[in-house]
Amino acid sequence: MSPILLQEALAGGIALLFGLLVLLVQLGIIVWIYSDAKQRSDQPAFLWAVVAFLAPLLGLVLYFIVGRR
C-alpha cells in the first residue's frame, strides 16, 4: 500500500471518529435538555428536544435563556 493511500485512510478514519464524537455530543445535549425540561420548564420537554435536534448549540443557549424557570 502506498503512503498516500495510507494517509488518506488515516484521514478518513479521523474524520469518521470526529463525526461520531460530534453526533454523541449532539445526542447528549438533546437527552440532557429533554430530561432537564421535564423537571424545570413550563414548556413541553419534547419541543425543547426538537429545538436541540435542529440546532444543538443554539437550542442549548435558548434553553438556558428562555426555557428554564
Side-chain angles (χ1 to χ4, degrees):
M1 206 172 204
S2 71
I4 293 174
L5 290 177
L6 285 175
Q7 187 177 13
E8 288 178 2
L10 181 62
I14 291 172
L16 178 65
L17 285 176
F18 181 73
L20 288 174
L21 179 66
V22 168
L23 179 65
L24 286 175
V25 169
Q26 181 177 2
L27 289 174
I29 288 172
I30 294 168
V31 168
W32 181 82
I33 286 178
Y34 178 77
S35 64
D36 194 64
K38 284 179 78 172
Q39 299 171 0
R40 300 184 185 191
S41 179
D42 295 331
Q43 293 101 7
F46 177 75
L47 292 179
W48 279 113
V50 169
V51 169
F53 175 76
L54 296 175
L57 294 177
L58 179 62
L60 183 62
V61 170
L62 285 174
Y63 177 68
F64 277 121
I65 293 172
V66 178
R68 296 179 98 182
R69 280 185 251 161

